[in-house]
Structures are given as C-alpha cells and as structure tokens.
Amino acid sequence: MAAQIKLLLEIPEWIWSSMESAQYLRATQLYLLCCHLHSLLQLESSGSHYSPVLSRFPILVRQVAASGHFRSTILLESKSLLKGRAVSDQAIAEALASIMLLEDSSPRQALADFLLARKASIQQLLNQPHHGSGIKAQVCSLVELLATTLYQAYAVFYTPLEGQLPDPALSSGLLFTTLETGTAPAGKGVKVLNNEMKSGSWFKYLPSSVTDFQPVLRTLARPINQDHLRDTLLQWINMCKEDIKSGISSLLVYVKSLKGLAAIRDAVWELLTSESLSQHWGFVCQRLLEHPLSFWEDFLQQLFLDRLQALTKEGLDGISSSSKQLLVSALQELAARPAPGGQGRAVQFEYDIASFLWSEAPSDLLSDAAWVSVSNRSHLLKSGLSMKAQALTPCIQSFCGSLDSKLKIKLDDLLSYLPPEKNLKDSADPPTGSQLRNSAFDRYADASTVEESLREHCLSCVRYILSCVQSELKAAQDRLQSSSRYSPLDSNLNSVLFMARLCQSMGELCPNLKQCIMGKAGDHVTRETSRIGKKLGKGSSKAPEVNPAQARWQEVREELLKHSMEAYRIWSITVSKALVHRFTLTLHSDTAGSILATATNWEELEIQEETETGNSVTSKIRLPVQPSWYVQSLLFHLCQEVNRVGGHALPKVTQQELLKGFLDELIPAYNELASNKHNKQDSAFPMTQNRSLQLVFDLRYLTMILSARQEEGKTPRTQQDPRIQQVIEALESHIDPFDLDVFTPPLNSNLHRLSQRTSVLLGLLTGTEKMFTSRSTNVNSQEPYNILPLSSSQIRFGLLPLSMSSSQRAKSATRGSEVKKSQRAPVSAPRVEETFRPGNLFRQLASQEEEPAAPSLFKMGWLSSMTK
C-alpha cells in the first residue's frame, strides 16, 4: 500500500510534465492509472461511508481533489492541438487517442472532433484582424490548413482495403496503430510504467495490476469505412466552402488594386505548386474523395473574379465621373471667356483656332526631330506641329491626356493580373499536359474573362462620356435656337465645336483607350492586320479576318465620329442660317441706294458683229467681272468662319454639308426675289436687265463655289440642280434674249476667270480640285488680264503637300512612261526661244522630278517627318 500511495503522489508531477511536452496520450495514460489506483485504494468516498485510507493519510485528500481537474485539462489541450496547422500526424493521432480514451468515444466520433476543430480553426483565421499585406498571409494560411487537413485525414483515419497498395511515402491509419499500442493487453503493448520502473527499486512492491496497467476502450476501435470517410469529408468541405467564400469575400474587400489580387493569387499558386503540397495531392484526393479537388477553381477563382470586376467597375466609374466633371469644367471655362491677353490663353485658342495654328511653342518640334526618323519614333510621341495639323487645341489635349493617364493607371494595374509580355504568345495556346502537371492550376486561365471585363466597363465609360456630351450638345443647341443673333464669340457655338473636336480626337489622343478595348494583344493584332493589308494591296484575294476586339474598337470609333458629326452639324446649320439671314436682308433691299452701295465695277468688252450686208461692226458691251459686295462678304465671312474653326482639319463630310446647307439656304432667297419681281412689275425699283445680269452672275458664281466637292475617283456632276436652273431662268427672263446670247460666252469666261482668281482666298471652300486649269490655254491670247496658268499635275510647287486625284496620277504615270521611251532616243538641245518661254523653269523642274535622282533633303518625306 505504501508503494501505491507513493506512486499516487508522484503521478500528478508526471502528468504535468507530459502536458508541458505536449505528450497528451502519456498524460491520459497516467491519469487513467491514477484513477485505477483510486479504485484499488478505495479512495472514492460516498455519502454512506468514508475511505479508511483517507482517514489514515489525510495528504491524499488534496491529491484526490487535484486529480479531478486533470481530465478536463487534458481534453482541452488535446482538442486545442487539433486546431494547429504545424502539428505532426503522430501528434494528431495521439491527441485523438487521448480524447477517445477519456470520453470512451469511437473512431467516427474522433473524425467528427477532428473536422470540427479544423472548421473552428478556419473561422478563427477568417476572423483575424486584417490590414494590408496580412490578407495574403491569411488566404495562404487558409489554403495550407485545408490541404493539411486532407493530408492528415488520410494519415490518421484512412486504412487501405485488401489488395490496395499504399503509397510508401505516406503513412496511414495512425490512429488505429496508436490505439493498438496504447490499449493492448499486458505483454503485447508498451506498459504505462515501463520507463519509471527502471528508475526506482520501490516499484517492485507494486502489485501486477498496477505495473501491467493498460487503458482499455469500452468499444472496439474498428477502422472507419471508406464510404463513410468520403461522405464525411465531402460534407465537411461543402460546409466549409460557404464559410470560406463569405470570409474571403470580406477579406478581399480590403484589397484595393488588381496588383494586390494578383499577388495573393500568385502566392496561392506558389504554395499549392510547392513540392510538399503537390507531390501526393492527386493520390490523396483520389483515395479520400474519389475525385480531384482544386482549391483555386472550387473555392477562390470566382471570388477573385468578382472582386476584380468590382474593382474594374469602381475604377472606370470613377474615371467616368471625373471625365464628366472635367467636361463640365471645360465648358464653364469656355462660357466665362477671359479677356484677350489674360491668363486663359488656352481658352482663347478655342475661340480662334487660327491663332493657335500660327502661334509658336517650344514643343512644335520634338527635340530629336532632326536625326530620328518617323519610322523609328514611337507612335505615342506627338509634336506640336502634328497637333496643329489636326487642329487639336491645348484644351482638347489636356482633356484627352487626363483621360488617357487615368486609363493607363487602370490598364497597368490590370496587366499585372494577366500573363507577362514574354509569355503573351504562349498564353494564347492551351497549356500542355506537362505544364499542368507541374502547376497546381492555370493562374492565367481567366485572362480572356479579365480582358472582357475591362472591355465592357471601358465601353460603359465611353458611353457615359458620350451621353454627357449628348446632353450638353442638346442644351447648347436649344440655346442657339432660342437666340436670334450669331457671333463667333458665342460660347454656346464654341462649346459645340469643342465637343466636336473632342469626340473626333479622343480615339487618337487616348491610345490606352484603344488598348483597354483591344486587350493586351491589341498592338500585335494591329501590326498583323496592317501586314495582311499590305499583302492584300499587292494582289492577295484573301480578306483579313476581323478580330472581335477590333470590331468593338471600330464600333467605338464610329460612335465617337457620330457624335462629332452631330456637333459639327449643329455648328454648320447655325452658321448657315445666321450668315444667309444677313445676306437675304441685303439681297431683298429695294432701295436704289442699297443696290448702288453693293454694286461692283463692270468690264467693258469690244465685240465684232456681222450685219445683214456682211459688214463687220464693232460694238462695246459691259459685263460683270466680280460678284456683288454682299456676295463677296458672304463668302469671305463663311471662309473666315471655317478658317477660325480649323477648316483644314474639318471632316470632308462636314465641309460638304456646310456648303450644301449654304446653297440650300441661298436658293429660296434668290427664288423669292425672282418671284416677287416677276409678279410685281410696278414696284419701287423694278428688275432691270443689268441687275438681272448681275444676279445671274452672282448666283452662278455662288453655285460654282458652293457646289459639293467631288470625291476622288468619281466623275463630276453634269446635271445642274433644277432649283438653281429654275431661279436662273426666272432671272434671265428679264434680259433680252438676243443680248443674252451675246453675253453668255464672255460671261462664262468671266466666271471661270473669277473662280481661278478667288480659288486661293476661298481655298477652304473650293478645295484643291478647283485650283488648276488645263494647259491648253492659248498663250498668245490678247485678253487684258494676266493669270499664270495653273498646272494640271500640280507640280508648280513641288514641296507643297498638294493632293492629286487618281486621274492625275494616271496622267503622271503616262508621262513617266513617255519619259522612259524618250530616253532611248537622242536628246536634242532645247531651242533658245523655248528657254525663255513663261513657265519653262517649272516645266524643267517637273521633268527633273519625274526622272530618277539621288536622295535629297528637299523631299516631302523629310518635311513631313518634322511635323509628326
């Protein structure tokens, strides 16, 4: 009995020592031995009788009271150990064995305890305070905990069936091995006091029931059925999946950039691809779950995509709202036009593009323009001259630059989530089997979804900006229609022009907008398309395939162009109605003073007529050689307005609509005048023949100037507008028919000559197509005017960027072939009189330009490269 009492007093110290070293199974065995000693010594006192041993040895009373706390402490520490991630498989098995021995539970209950502990550990991880970089560590710890749980479930609970070959690198069934060792009958297992008996001689006085003590389970610990193990694990995974999704979604809210999302994704990929987790992962999943399990696809991928789309939408919505504020601010600055010479010089340029074109700035030429060619320069670098060539004012550049810089920040952030540039071509191909085996998951599998998300939100941003432009255009149009006066300084009209230029240039000045819509391979697609286009130009019959992203970008360009055309249309209608209204008031003025004030000098011509007797009679006639002053004023103000808004950069469609709108407004004015004079012969100032002749000359001249330009490759119109013909016939009815036959040929000549004389002054209206005449003009003509004949091939000024129509190119090609043929024949020296003929110098320059010559600096290529 003394030896038993001494052992009973030593056991508490051994239990505490085992618990400090996390040997909970050893502590459990000692506790159960202690309980066994209590029963042997009859230390449990009941209400009916008191233990005689306690009465003899009062010190045991405290020991019995203290031993009652061991059970709860060991259970608490064992269950706490089950929550740890960095715990060995053997320690987990021993902790579960301790719980089973203390609670007399079954292996199935131990499995439930293990999974519940891990679920609590998952919730603890998700509820940790999160800030900054800690989120990546939390997500990685969570993934590691899930993977470790399945590995340890295999190691602790899984027992292979008969005939199944276990993986020699993996242990299995540790729980049952541990129970078998710790609860085996005497002589087969390790005794509880095996080590202690070697250290003291008094142990030999202990009875065999104490020295050979082994804990015993009340129920037999049978291996868990594999179906039950699989169903339990799948149920646990599905139960944890909801907690993980809600928890990680809450964590990802604190990730404010796509770069941060990509860092977390890459960290998870590196963790799951590491050898410690990936080496036997497929084998364990197949044995436990009978199907593969991917944490990324099943748990995380959709959460990351949802957060990515939320960040993209949030970023693009911010860009949309800031762009709207920028647009409203720019329009307010235009409305509050500063005084000339003030600080708002950029706003002054919006009111007069011509002043912007002729102003000088240090940025007009790039610093390397003299030695870097256009082909070697980045297309993103724009010189000031190239901006002026496109009439892109500083306000337009500032707006587009601000929008482009914000899009670039968003695009750079998103590119961190996509494959690197060096793997761009490889990412277009599906990964091979070896690549998938070496990687836990394809982290760039959703690259197309990411690009599509950016594309859709970027399109929504553009549509929002265009809707703001549309509403501002509608408001400006209403204000213009309510105002009866027109002024080039009208802020509403200049606001319309600002929005027209903005929509026209946004596609070019915002290259990152194109890349957001085209995707990361946008530049590659563009280069490939241009290469195919060059092949098609060489005669290939196969049409290039249109990339879907390219088609979306084309839709955006067309939508921007549509709004630009609408704004230009508002401007052209406003200008047409205002200028023609003033013109109509002067045209319909019937007072003699107003008619004389607008009259111009006529030309006196001598003509020879043949009488009935056959004699020749010389007579003098007077014909108009220039339009009325109000006609010249109308055309000049129109040309001035076109020049003010940067007419060289106006779309051709807008120019044609402007000219057509002017002509449509002028015809009713002349028609009204002709019909009134035809019906009211007794008016204060009747229609005279001279006035009718001047009006016919004016109207025909206006028709020549304002007739729509012909597109390249199309034949000119031979049929005159029937409305104009009707008005001319009404005006010609006031002219004597005989005189009209005499006046018509010289009048046509005067019109043609006037058109050539004013082609430079009104060049923005007439176009380069009307700036030349045929060389068949009679040089020996004795007409009293002197106009240098303009070349049909436009080679008078070889360095000027004048365009050539297709027919003129054909003529140039024909002349080139004739030059090659003439080179075979002997070249004769030019005659002396031909050398001094007018225009011979230009003809010599033309012939030299058509012949092959050495490269020269004085070529268009050198000049044009300095403006790009």
Side-chain angles (χ1 to χ4, degrees):
M1 179 181 292
Q4 293 180 41
I5 293 175
K6 178 174 177 58
L7 178 61
L8 196 60
L9 294 175
E10 294 286 345
I11 283 178
E13 183 178 353
W14 295 346
I15 292 176
W16 287 118
S17 177
S18 298
M19 291 183 64
E20 287 177 359
S21 59
Q23 297 178 4
Y24 301 116
L25 179 58
R26 172 68 176 165
T28 301
Q29 292 173 334
L30 291 173
Y31 167 74
L32 294 176
L33 176 61
C34 181
C35 294
H36 178 65
L37 288 173
H38 286 178
S39 64
L40 289 177
L41 297 175
Q42 299 179 355
L43 297 182
E44 290 85 358
S45 59
S46 61
S48 59
H49 85 283
Y50 188 72
S51 172
V53 179
L54 290 179
S55 60
R56 294 181 183 180
F57 302 97
I59 192 172
L60 295 178
V61 176
R62 185 177 299 177
Q63 196 276 344
V64 172
S67 63
H69 300 287
F70 285 135
R71 182 178 183 277
S72 59
T73 305
I74 295 173
L75 281 175
L76 181 63
E77 294 296 332
S78 298
K79 292 182 178 180
S80 176
L81 182 137
L82 297 179
K83 299 180 181 179
R85 299 190 307 273
V87 181
S88 66
D89 300 343
Q90 184 62 42
I92 294 290
E94 291 181 358
L96 288 172
S98 298
I99 296 172
M100 291 178 65
L101 290 172
L102 293 175
E103 295 183 344
D104 293 324
S105 58
S106 64
R108 292 190 176 188
Q109 183 62 39
L111 175 62
D113 292 339
F114 173 69
L115 295 180
L116 285 176
R118 289 304 169 94
K119 186 175 185 298
S121 180
I122 290 174
Q123 292 178 343
Q124 182 182 0
L125 268 176
L126 293 175
N127 294 329
Q128 281 182 358
H130 25 258
H131 38 85
S133 60
I135 297 177
K136 179 170 69 174
Q138 283 179 259
V139 175
C140 290
S141 299
L142 183 63
V143 172
E144 185 181 7
L145 178 61
L146 289 170
T148 305
T149 299
L150 289 182
Y151 271 116
Q152 290 181 343
Y154 177 87
V156 176
F157 298 100
Y158 182 81
T159 54
L161 297 175
E162 295 182 3
Q164 283 186 344
L165 294 176
D167 191 334
L170 293 175
S171 57
S172 61
L174 289 179
L175 174 62
F176 306 102
T177 305
T178 303
L179 288 174
E180 184 179 356
T181 304
T183 61
K188 292 185 179 181
V190 178
K191 300 176 183 179
V192 176
L193 298 177
N194 187 34
N195 295 327
E196 286 76 1
M197 291 177 64
K198 300 176 182 179
S199 60
S201 59
W202 57 272
F203 284 98
K204 62 184 178 180
Y205 300 107
L206 292 173
S208 60
S209 61
V210 175
T211 57
D212 298 335
F213 175 78
Q214 287 282 17
V216 179
L217 283 172
R218 293 183 181 179
T219 58
L220 184 61
R222 294 182 178 179
I224 301 176
N225 183 274
Q226 290 190 1
D227 293 337
H228 177 78
L229 180 61
R230 180 198 62 222
D231 296 340
T232 305
L233 288 174
L234 288 176
Q235 183 181 3
W236 177 80
I237 289 172
N238 293 329
M239 185 170 53
C240 292
K241 186 179 294 186
E242 300 302 323
D243 294 341
I244 291 172
K245 285 184 177 180
S246 61
I248 291 185
S249 296
S250 302
L251 287 177
L252 294 182
V253 170
Y254 296 92
V255 180
K256 299 299 184 180
S257 67
L258 302 184
K259 187 176 181 180
L261 274 182
I264 298 175
R265 178 204 60 188
D266 294 342
V268 172
W269 179 83
E270 291 174 0
L271 175 65
L272 294 177
T273 310
S274 62
E275 186 176 357
S276 58
L277 290 183
S278 64
Q279 187 175 6
H280 305 287
W281 180 251
F283 176 81
V284 169
C285 289
Q286 188 62 35
R287 289 296 173 89
L288 289 178
L289 309 176
E290 298 182 357
H291 65 78
L293 176 66
S294 173
F295 290 123
W296 176 252
E297 283 85 356
D298 298 338
F299 289 82
L300 303 177
Q301 184 177 22
Q302 191 57 46
L303 302 178
F304 276 65
L305 280 179
D306 293 343
R307 181 56 183 161
L308 182 143
Q309 292 180 353
L311 285 174
T312 305
K313 183 178 184 301
E314 180 183 343
L316 270 300
D317 287 348
I319 293 176
S320 301
S321 59
S322 63
S323 298
K324 178 182 179 181
Q325 295 175 0
L326 198 60
L327 176 64
V328 172
S329 175
L331 295 179
Q332 289 176 351
E333 289 181 1
L334 285 176
R337 180 172 181 260
Q343 297 296 326
R345 192 180 182 190
V347 179
Q348 297 284 346
F349 288 154
E350 293 296 329
Y351 282 81
D352 187 8
I353 301 295
S355 62
F356 167 64
L357 298 179
W358 293 104
S359 64
E360 294 186 359
S363 60
D364 283 348
L365 287 179
L366 298 175
S367 58
D368 57 354
W371 54 85
V372 178
S373 63
V374 179
S375 58
N376 295 331
R377 188 181 300 134
S378 172
H379 67 283
L380 301 178
L381 295 177
K382 301 288 185 181
S383 65
L385 286 181
S386 65
M387 295 291 102
K388 292 178 179 179
Q390 301 172 75
L392 302 179
T393 57
C395 289
I396 298 292
Q397 297 176 41
S398 174
F399 185 98
C400 293
S402 175
L403 175 61
D404 190 62
S405 62
K406 295 173 184 175
L407 288 174
K408 179 174 174 57
I409 294 174
K410 197 64 190 173
L411 184 63
D412 290 343
D413 189 24
L414 182 128
L415 289 180
S416 61
Y417 204 86
L418 298 178
E421 190 70 29
K422 61 181 180 180
N423 297 332
L424 183 59
K425 296 181 180 179
D426 299 336
S427 64
D429 302 327
T432 61
S434 61
Q435 290 176 336
L436 289 177
R437 285 193 297 269
N438 296 331
S439 174
F441 59 89
D442 184 8
R443 49 181 168 170
Y444 302 123
D446 49 7
S448 59
T449 306
V450 173
E451 289 187 352
E452 184 63 27
S453 174
L454 176 64
R455 183 179 300 114
E456 290 300 328
H457 289 100
C458 195
L459 289 173
S460 300
C461 175
V462 174
R463 295 190 190 103
Y464 180 80
I465 295 174
L466 289 179
S467 66
C468 297
V469 170
Q470 182 68 31
S471 61
E472 294 291 344
L473 282 177
K474 185 67 171 59
Q477 185 179 14
D478 295 340
R479 290 192 294 267
L480 287 171
Q481 290 177 351
S482 62
S483 177
S484 58
R485 300 183 61 186
Y486 156 77
S487 171
L489 302 180
D490 189 349
S491 61
N492 294 315
L493 191 63
N494 288 282
S495 297
V496 169
L497 288 170
F498 171 80
M499 288 182 279
R501 287 190 291 268
L502 178 64
C503 294
Q504 183 183 8
S505 59
M506 194 180 296
E508 182 177 353
L509 293 186
C510 298
N512 288 290
L513 174 63
K514 177 181 179 180
Q515 193 168 2
C516 286
I517 297 177
M518 293 281 289
K520 193 171 183 182
D523 295 338
H524 174 73
V525 172
T526 303
R527 291 193 297 268
E528 191 70 16
T529 305
S530 63
R531 183 179 62 83
I532 295 176
K534 291 179 180 179
K535 287 187 177 181
L536 287 175
K538 295 179 181 178
S540 175
S541 60
K542 184 179 178 181
E545 296 181 1
V546 179
N547 185 279
Q550 223 171 356
R552 302 296 292 275
W553 171 243
Q554 189 61 32
E555 291 176 5
V556 172
R557 294 290 299 269
E558 291 174 357
E559 194 69 20
L560 290 170
L561 183 61
K562 174 185 174 183
H563 283 76
S564 177
M565 292 296 102
E566 183 179 352
Y568 276 126
R569 191 174 298 112
I570 295 174
W571 165 77
S572 63
I573 291 174
T574 303
V575 171
S576 300
K577 289 184 177 181
L579 293 183
V580 174
H581 176 70
R582 299 178 188 174
F583 173 83
T584 304
L585 294 178
T586 308
L587 177 67
H588 291 172
S589 179
D590 276 345
T591 62
S594 62
I595 295 176
L596 289 176
T598 58
T600 54
N601 189 25
W602 286 26
E603 183 182 35
E604 186 177 281
L605 296 176
E606 290 185 359
I607 60 172
Q608 292 184 352
E609 300 175 325
E610 187 175 352
T611 62
E612 297 179 355
T613 60
N615 297 329
S616 178
V617 178
T618 302
S619 59
K620 293 184 178 182
I621 59 174
R622 297 178 61 84
L623 292 176
V625 291
Q626 53 183 322
S628 303
W629 287 120
Y630 54 84
V631 174
Q632 297 184 46
S633 177
L634 171 70
L635 292 177
F636 178 76
H637 281 92
L638 174 59
C639 191
Q640 191 178 35
E641 176 65 18
V642 173
N643 183 66
R644 184 185 70 85
V645 301
H648 66 285
L650 281 178
K652 191 173 184 180
V653 176
T654 301
Q655 295 178 353
Q656 292 179 347
E657 288 182 355
L658 177 63
L659 300 181
K660 183 178 181 300
F662 252 86
L663 204 55
D664 292 342
E665 294 282 343
L666 289 172
I667 292 174
Y670 275 97
N671 191 20
E672 182 183 356
L673 177 65
S675 60
N676 291 341
K677 293 300 181 181
H678 184 74
N679 298 330
K680 300 178 182 179
Q681 297 293 335
D682 55 347
S683 61
F685 196 87
M687 181 69 71
T688 61
Q689 176 171 311
N690 286 346
R691 188 182 180 194
S692 299
L693 194 61
Q694 181 67 57
L695 289 174
V696 170
F697 185 86
D698 292 346
L699 183 55
R700 290 184 61 187
Y701 175 65
L702 286 171
T703 305
M704 293 178 65
I705 296 297
L706 299 179
S707 59
R709 308 177 188 177
Q710 299 303 318
E711 296 183 8
E712 187 175 336
K714 293 187 177 181
T715 57
R717 291 184 299 173
T718 57
Q719 186 178 4
Q720 195 176 31
D721 192 334
R723 299 175 300 168
I724 299 176
Q725 187 63 32
Q726 182 181 357
V727 175
I728 290 178
E729 290 176 357
L731 293 174
E732 287 179 347
S733 64
H734 298 281
I735 305 174
D736 183 81
F738 176 78
D739 291 344
L740 184 61
D741 291 338
V742 175
F743 293 160
T744 299
L747 195 65
N748 291 337
S749 178
N750 289 349
L751 280 171
H752 184 71
R753 202 177 338 141
L754 179 64
S755 176
Q756 295 300 320
R757 282 174 173 172
T758 57
S759 61
V760 175
L761 179 64
L762 306 177
L764 290 175
L765 305 180
T766 59
T768 58
E769 297 86 351
K770 299 180 181 179
M771 291 187 182
F772 64 87
T773 59
S774 175
R775 281 191 173 184
S776 60
T777 307
N778 186 8
V779 182
N780 297 325
S781 172
Q782 300 299 324
E783 295 179 359
Y785 63 88
N786 183 16
I787 298 178
L788 182 66
L790 298 176
S791 169
S792 61
S793 61
Q794 303 178 4
I795 46 79
R796 284 180 55 223
F797 305 103
L799 295 179
L800 294 180
L802 299 178
S803 62
M804 297 174 67
S805 63
S806 58
S807 59
Q808 295 158 8
R809 292 193 184 99
K811 292 180 181 178
S812 300
T814 305
R815 285 199 305 272
S817 60
E818 292 175 356
V819 169
K820 292 181 179 178
K821 292 179 181 179
S822 64
Q823 287 176 353
R824 302 173 184 173
V827 181
S828 58
R831 293 181 295 175
V832 177
E833 57 272 17
E834 289 183 354
T835 307
F836 295 98
R837 286 180 59 186
N840 186 64
L841 175 60
F842 298 112
R843 281 190 286 271
Q844 293 178 11
L845 291 175
S847 62
Q848 291 176 6
E849 197 168 284
E850 291 173 356
E851 296 175 359
S856 172
L857 287 177
F858 298 96
K859 295 293 182 183
M860 276 301 299
W862 173 80
L863 184 63
S864 63
S865 66
M866 298 190 66
T867 62
K868 293 185 178 180

